[in-house]
Amino acid sequence: MKKLKQSQYYGILLLVVMLVAFWAIFKILAPTTFGSPDKLATYMKSALIYAVGGCGLYFICVMGPFDMSVGANIVLSSIIACNASMKFGYIGLVIAPLICGTLIGLINGIVYIKLHISSLIVTVALSLIYEALSVYATNGKNVILDMKYRAFGDYPANLILALLAYLLCAFILKYTKIGTYTYAIGSNEVVAKNMGVNVQKYKIVAFTLAGLFFGLQAILTISFGTSMTSASNLSSMSRNFTPLMGTFFGLAFKKYGHPVIAIVIGEMIIQLMFNGFVALGAPTTIQNVVTGAALLTIVALTTKPVKGLVVK
């Protein structure tokens, strides 16, 4: 048993057991309204989308900062993707949100580094600007993706795009200097700086990479949901937390060496929980309760308390 716990596959096995356990519990409690093959396929569509965003957030969170502009980025990138598809077809649908998401990530990183203030404050403030841009881009109206360009909203196109995103994330983390320095900064920023790592540069790179993945999530989001409404007054914040929970699964299980797999399975678990409560007849607002409770639990499990440390 001790050897099993030390194995790099123990974390994956534990997550799979949790996934099956949650499915079994809700299937027993709601046998007719939960867990059929068709419904599971729908649950997994949502999990695939959120896991892409979770992979992007991982680059930032593993270093210590947070990005609270995820929702605003996805809203604006989705709107731009929809508008671009009208003029350039699938090329516009794919390229436009990638450029938009990446630019937003770059701006986030530069402003965070230059102002020397909390990433939470920076990205919340910038969210207001991105939301204003989304209102300007739509004139306050709802945008709808044309039927001809919805391939990424269903299998197999959505699965292929998501898998490419996961593989890209895993490759960067494991085989590139960016991944090595990302973990070094997250482990001990002072030591990394003393070893010659340009900490500020790689934090900007992390935010930029995260923006790229949010652009990919935007493609899947607008294709699956088929429409997007502009956001204001930080209403886009509700889109932040589901990807973030997947990221925390990745942080919790990174010691086993497979954070991307942990993010994907973690998002699947979250979706089973959401839809399980809905199948039981609970109001849809129960998702907010589940989100909050799950987020607190995951953070508690992934944070190592230090005696005497002042919590800010």
Side-chain angles (χ1 to χ4, degrees), residues 43-292:
Y43 305 161
M44 294 309 106
K45 284 181 187 178
S46 297
L48 290 173
I49 296 171
Y50 291 122
V52 172
C55 286
L57 269 172
Y58 186 81
F59 288 103
I60 300 173
C61 292
V62 78
M63 287 185 176
F66 285 90
D67 187 350
M68 300 304 289
S69 69
V70 178
N73 190 338
I74 291 169
V75 169
L76 182 56
S77 295
S78 296
I79 290 170
I80 289 176
C82 190
N83 291 338
S85 69
M86 297 177 185
K87 294 183 178 180
F88 306 106
Y90 273 109
I91 294 177
L93 177 68
V94 173
I95 300 299
L98 292 181
I99 294 174
C100 178
T102 304
L103 283 175
I104 288 175
L106 177 61
I107 292 169
N108 287 350
I110 292 173
V111 174
Y112 165 59
I113 292 299
K114 294 299 182 182
L115 294 184
H116 300 287
I117 58 178
S118 168
S119 58
L120 291 174
I121 298 173
V122 168
T123 52
V124 167
L126 288 172
S127 292
L128 290 168
I129 297 174
Y130 304 144
E131 287 184 344
L133 290 174
S134 74
V135 174
Y136 176 79
T138 61
N139 292 320
K141 299 178 181 178
N142 191 38
V143 295
I144 301 174
L145 184 64
D146 193 283
M147 287 283 292
K148 296 183 292 184
Y149 307 120
R150 297 180 183 179
F152 291 112
D154 204 352
Y155 301 110
N158 61 340
L159 180 59
I160 293 171
L161 184 61
L163 285 174
L164 289 173
Y166 306 151
L167 290 172
L168 176 61
C169 181
F171 177 81
I172 292 172
L173 289 171
K174 192 169 184 178
Y175 297 108
T176 70
K177 186 165 63 174
I178 294 172
T180 301
Y181 289 169
T182 294
Y183 281 123
I185 295 168
S187 178
N188 193 313
E189 184 175 322
V190 175
V191 172
K193 189 173 183 179
N194 290 337
M195 291 176 63
V197 177
N198 189 332
V199 173
Q200 292 188 342
K201 171 186 173 182
Y202 283 96
K203 282 187 176 181
I204 293 174
V205 170
F207 274 95
T208 305
L209 277 174
L212 173 67
F213 280 84
F214 301 150
L216 287 167
Q217 183 180 343
I219 298 170
L220 294 169
T221 299
I222 190 65
S223 300
F224 179 62
T226 71
S227 66
M228 181 60 67
T229 304
S230 58
S232 59
N233 300 318
L234 296 178
S235 62
S236 63
M237 283 286 180
S238 61
R239 295 180 178 271
N240 291 354
F241 301 108
T242 309
L244 185 60
M245 284 190 289
T247 300
F248 281 128
F249 271 101
L251 292 172
F253 289 87
K254 72 172 182 172
K255 61 183 178 181
Y256 298 106
H258 301 285
V260 176
I261 296 176
I263 291 170
V264 176
I265 299 178
E267 293 291 1
M268 291 179 179
I269 292 172
I270 296 300
Q271 290 305 309
L272 285 181
M273 292 170 63
F274 284 171
N275 290 281
F277 281 109
V278 172
L280 290 173
T284 53
T285 51
I286 196 66
Q287 292 192 13
N288 294 329
V289 177
V290 175
T291 300

